[in-house]
PDB file of all heavy atoms in Angstrom:
ATOM      1  N   VAL X 300      72.024 113.385  87.460  1.00  0.00           N
ATOM      2  CA  VAL X 300      72.655 114.249  86.453  1.00  0.00           C
ATOM      3  C   VAL X 300      71.645 114.696  85.406  1.00  0.00           C
ATOM      4  O   VAL X 300      71.651 115.864  84.976  1.00  0.00           O
ATOM      5  CB  VAL X 300      73.831 113.511  85.789  1.00  0.00           C
ATOM      6  CG1 VAL X 300      74.349 114.270  84.564  1.00  0.00           C
ATOM      7  CG2 VAL X 300      74.965 113.304  86.791  1.00  0.00           C
ATOM      8  N   LEU X 308      75.314 120.368  90.230  1.00  0.00           N
ATOM      9  CA  LEU X 308      75.885 119.046  90.470  1.00  0.00           C
ATOM     10  C   LEU X 308      77.296 119.195  91.010  1.00  0.00           C
ATOM     11  O   LEU X 308      78.115 119.922  90.435  1.00  0.00           O
ATOM     12  CB  LEU X 308      75.935 118.238  89.172  1.00  0.00           C
ATOM     13  CG  LEU X 308      74.587 117.887  88.546  1.00  0.00           C
ATOM     14  CD1 LEU X 308      74.757 117.595  87.070  1.00  0.00           C
ATOM     15  CD2 LEU X 308      73.975 116.688  89.263  1.00  0.00           C
ATOM     16  N   PHE X 310      80.470 116.678  92.051  1.00  0.00           N
ATOM     17  CA  PHE X 310      80.898 115.296  91.875  1.00  0.00           C
ATOM     18  C   PHE X 310      82.356 115.147  92.276  1.00  0.00           C
ATOM     19  O   PHE X 310      83.193 115.989  91.931  1.00  0.00           O
ATOM     20  CB  PHE X 310      80.731 114.895  90.402  1.00  0.00           C
ATOM     21  CG  PHE X 310      81.438 113.623  90.011  1.00  0.00           C
ATOM     22  CD1 PHE X 310      80.834 112.388  90.198  1.00  0.00           C
ATOM     23  CD2 PHE X 310      82.703 113.657  89.443  1.00  0.00           C
ATOM     24  CE1 PHE X 310      81.479 111.211  89.834  1.00  0.00           C
ATOM     25  CE2 PHE X 310      83.361 112.483  89.073  1.00  0.00           C
ATOM     26  CZ  PHE X 310      82.752 111.260  89.273  1.00  0.00           C
ATOM     27  N   VAL X 316      84.010 109.213  84.601  1.00  0.00           N
ATOM     28  CA  VAL X 316      82.652 109.496  85.055  1.00  0.00           C
ATOM     29  C   VAL X 316      82.419 111.004  85.128  1.00  0.00           C
ATOM     30  O   VAL X 316      81.359 111.507  84.755  1.00  0.00           O
ATOM     31  CB  VAL X 316      82.383 108.831  86.423  1.00  0.00           C
ATOM     32  CG1 VAL X 316      80.991 109.189  86.928  1.00  0.00           C
ATOM     33  CG2 VAL X 316      82.528 107.320  86.314  1.00  0.00           C
ATOM     34  N   GLY X 317      83.439 111.740  85.590  1.00  0.00           N
ATOM     35  CA  GLY X 317      83.309 113.186  85.696  1.00  0.00           C
ATOM     36  C   GLY X 317      83.017 113.849  84.362  1.00  0.00           C
ATOM     37  O   GLY X 317      82.225 114.793  84.283  1.00  0.00           O
ATOM     38  N   ALA X 318      83.634 113.343  83.297  1.00  0.00           N
ATOM     39  CA  ALA X 318      83.375 113.907  81.970  1.00  0.00           C
ATOM     40  C   ALA X 318      81.907 113.745  81.589  1.00  0.00           C
ATOM     41  O   ALA X 318      81.297 114.648  81.000  1.00  0.00           O
ATOM     42  CB  ALA X 318      84.273 113.233  80.935  1.00  0.00           C
ATOM     43  N   GLY X 319      81.332 112.593  81.945  1.00  0.00           N
ATOM     44  CA  GLY X 319      79.915 112.371  81.666  1.00  0.00           C
ATOM     45  C   GLY X 319      79.016 113.278  82.479  1.00  0.00           C
ATOM     46  O   GLY X 319      77.991 113.776  81.984  1.00  0.00           O
ATOM     47  N   VAL X 320      79.393 113.506  83.742  1.00  0.00           N
ATOM     48  CA  VAL X 320      78.632 114.420  84.588  1.00  0.00           C
ATOM     49  C   VAL X 320      78.659 115.832  84.001  1.00  0.00           C
ATOM     50  O   VAL X 320      77.629 116.514  83.917  1.00  0.00           O
ATOM     51  CB  VAL X 320      79.191 114.420  86.025  1.00  0.00           C
ATOM     52  CG1 VAL X 320      78.532 115.522  86.865  1.00  0.00           C
ATOM     53  CG2 VAL X 320      78.975 113.064  86.678  1.00  0.00           C
ATOM     54  N   ALA X 321      79.844 116.269  83.591  1.00  0.00           N
ATOM     55  CA  ALA X 321      79.974 117.608  83.012  1.00  0.00           C
ATOM     56  C   ALA X 321      79.135 117.745  81.751  1.00  0.00           C
ATOM     57  O   ALA X 321      78.437 118.748  81.556  1.00  0.00           O
ATOM     58  CB  ALA X 321      81.432 117.909  82.712  1.00  0.00           C
ATOM     59  N   ALA X 322      79.200 116.750  80.870  1.00  0.00           N
ATOM     60  CA  ALA X 322      78.439 116.804  79.624  1.00  0.00           C
ATOM     61  C   ALA X 322      76.944 116.862  79.897  1.00  0.00           C
ATOM     62  O   ALA X 322      76.209 117.632  79.257  1.00  0.00           O
ATOM     63  CB  ALA X 322      78.777 115.599  78.753  1.00  0.00           C
ATOM     64  N   GLY X 323      76.489 116.064  80.875  1.00  0.00           N
ATOM     65  CA  GLY X 323      75.068 116.079  81.214  1.00  0.00           C
ATOM     66  C   GLY X 323      74.623 117.412  81.781  1.00  0.00           C
ATOM     67  O   GLY X 323      73.531 117.902  81.477  1.00  0.00           O
ATOM     68  N   ALA X 324      75.482 118.020  82.603  1.00  0.00           N
ATOM     69  CA  ALA X 324      75.144 119.311  83.196  1.00  0.00           C
ATOM     70  C   ALA X 324      75.081 120.408  82.137  1.00  0.00           C
ATOM     71  O   ALA X 324      74.145 121.219  82.102  1.00  0.00           O
ATOM     72  CB  ALA X 324      76.161 119.670  84.273  1.00  0.00           C
ATOM     73  N   VAL X 325      76.085 120.438  81.260  1.00  0.00           N
ATOM     74  CA  VAL X 325      76.125 121.473  80.228  1.00  0.00           C
ATOM     75  C   VAL X 325      74.939 121.325  79.274  1.00  0.00           C
ATOM     76  O   VAL X 325      74.359 122.321  78.823  1.00  0.00           O
ATOM     77  CB  VAL X 325      77.461 121.397  79.456  1.00  0.00           C
ATOM     78  CG1 VAL X 325      77.437 122.301  78.225  1.00  0.00           C
ATOM     79  CG2 VAL X 325      78.616 121.788  80.367  1.00  0.00           C
ATOM     80  N   ARG X 326      74.565 120.097  78.992  1.00  0.00           N
ATOM     81  CA  ARG X 326      73.463 119.849  78.067  1.00  0.00           C
ATOM     82  C   ARG X 326      72.178 120.535  78.522  1.00  0.00           C
ATOM     83  O   ARG X 326      71.406 121.023  77.717  1.00  0.00           O
ATOM     84  CB  ARG X 326      73.257 118.340  77.939  1.00  0.00           C
ATOM     85  CG  ARG X 326      72.278 117.932  76.853  1.00  0.00           C
ATOM     86  CD  ARG X 326      72.428 116.456  76.486  1.00  0.00           C
ATOM     87  NE  ARG X 326      72.412 115.588  77.655  1.00  0.00           N
ATOM     88  CZ  ARG X 326      73.448 114.834  78.025  1.00  0.00           C
ATOM     89  NH1 ARG X 326      74.578 114.883  77.334  1.00  0.00           N
ATOM     90  NH2 ARG X 326      73.375 114.050  79.079  1.00  0.00           N
ATOM     91  N   ARG X 327      71.960 120.606  79.830  1.00  0.00           N
ATOM     92  CA  ARG X 327      70.744 121.263  80.315  1.00  0.00           C
ATOM     93  C   ARG X 327      71.052 122.512  81.143  1.00  0.00           C
ATOM     94  O   ARG X 327      70.209 123.011  81.882  1.00  0.00           O
ATOM     95  CB  ARG X 327      69.875 120.289  81.097  1.00  0.00           C
ATOM     96  CG  ARG X 327      70.553 119.604  82.249  1.00  0.00           C
ATOM     97  CD  ARG X 327      69.648 118.589  82.911  1.00  0.00           C
ATOM     98  NE  ARG X 327      70.204 118.122  84.166  1.00  0.00           N
ATOM     99  CZ  ARG X 327      70.155 118.802  85.308  1.00  0.00           C
ATOM    100  NH1 ARG X 327      69.562 119.981  85.345  1.00  0.00           N
ATOM    101  NH2 ARG X 327      70.676 118.311  86.408  1.00  0.00           N
ATOM    102  N   ALA X 329      72.953 123.182  83.784  1.00  0.00           N
ATOM    103  CA  ALA X 329      73.049 123.125  85.237  1.00  0.00           C
ATOM    104  C   ALA X 329      74.464 123.490  85.663  1.00  0.00           C
ATOM    105  O   ALA X 329      75.423 123.302  84.917  1.00  0.00           O
ATOM    106  CB  ALA X 329      72.704 121.727  85.738  1.00  0.00           C
ATOM    107  N   VAL X 331      77.959 122.962  87.534  1.00  0.00           N
ATOM    108  CA  VAL X 331      78.682 121.716  87.759  1.00  0.00           C
ATOM    109  C   VAL X 331      80.047 122.008  88.372  1.00  0.00           C
ATOM    110  O   VAL X 331      80.708 122.986  88.034  1.00  0.00           O
ATOM    111  CB  VAL X 331      78.822 120.904  86.445  1.00  0.00           C
ATOM    112  CG1 VAL X 331      79.668 121.646  85.424  1.00  0.00           C
ATOM    113  CG2 VAL X 331      79.381 119.513  86.711  1.00  0.00           C
ATOM    114  N   LEU X 333      83.517 119.601  89.594  1.00  0.00           N
ATOM    115  CA  LEU X 333      84.099 118.265  89.529  1.00  0.00           C
ATOM    116  C   LEU X 333      85.455 118.231  90.223  1.00  0.00           C
ATOM    117  O   LEU X 333      86.278 119.132  90.033  1.00  0.00           O
ATOM    118  CB  LEU X 333      84.310 117.836  88.076  1.00  0.00           C
ATOM    119  CG  LEU X 333      83.136 117.952  87.100  1.00  0.00           C
ATOM    120  CD1 LEU X 333      83.609 117.598  85.694  1.00  0.00           C
ATOM    121  CD2 LEU X 333      81.984 117.046  87.516  1.00  0.00           C
ATOM    122  N   MET X 335      88.481 115.311  90.301  1.00  0.00           N
ATOM    123  CA  MET X 335      88.697 114.062  89.569  1.00  0.00           C
ATOM    124  C   MET X 335      90.095 113.472  89.742  1.00  0.00           C
ATOM    125  O   MET X 335      90.636 112.834  88.848  1.00  0.00           O
ATOM    126  CB  MET X 335      88.408 114.290  88.093  1.00  0.00           C
ATOM    127  CG  MET X 335      86.957 114.678  87.839  1.00  0.00           C
ATOM    128  SD  MET X 335      86.655 115.148  86.120  1.00  0.00           S
ATOM    129  CE  MET X 335      87.531 116.723  86.044  1.00  0.00           C
ATOM    130  N   TYR X 542      87.280 120.817  87.795  1.00  0.00           N
ATOM    131  CA  TYR X 542      86.531 121.623  86.836  1.00  0.00           C
ATOM    132  C   TYR X 542      85.465 122.390  87.611  1.00  0.00           C
ATOM    133  O   TYR X 542      84.742 121.813  88.415  1.00  0.00           O
ATOM    134  CB  TYR X 542      85.881 120.731  85.780  1.00  0.00           C
ATOM    135  CG  TYR X 542      85.099 121.481  84.728  1.00  0.00           C
ATOM    136  CD1 TYR X 542      85.732 122.012  83.612  1.00  0.00           C
ATOM    137  CD2 TYR X 542      83.727 121.651  84.862  1.00  0.00           C
ATOM    138  CE1 TYR X 542      85.020 122.700  82.644  1.00  0.00           C
ATOM    139  CE2 TYR X 542      82.996 122.338  83.893  1.00  0.00           C
ATOM    140  CZ  TYR X 542      83.648 122.864  82.788  1.00  0.00           C
ATOM    141  OH  TYR X 542      82.945 123.547  81.828  1.00  0.00           O
TER     142      TYR X 542
END
Side-chain angles (χ1 to χ4, degrees):
V300 169
L308 295 158
F310 166 85
V316 177
V320 172
V325 170
R326 189 163 50 243
R327 55 184 191 79
V331 64
L333 309 175
M335 297 173 290
Y542 181 85

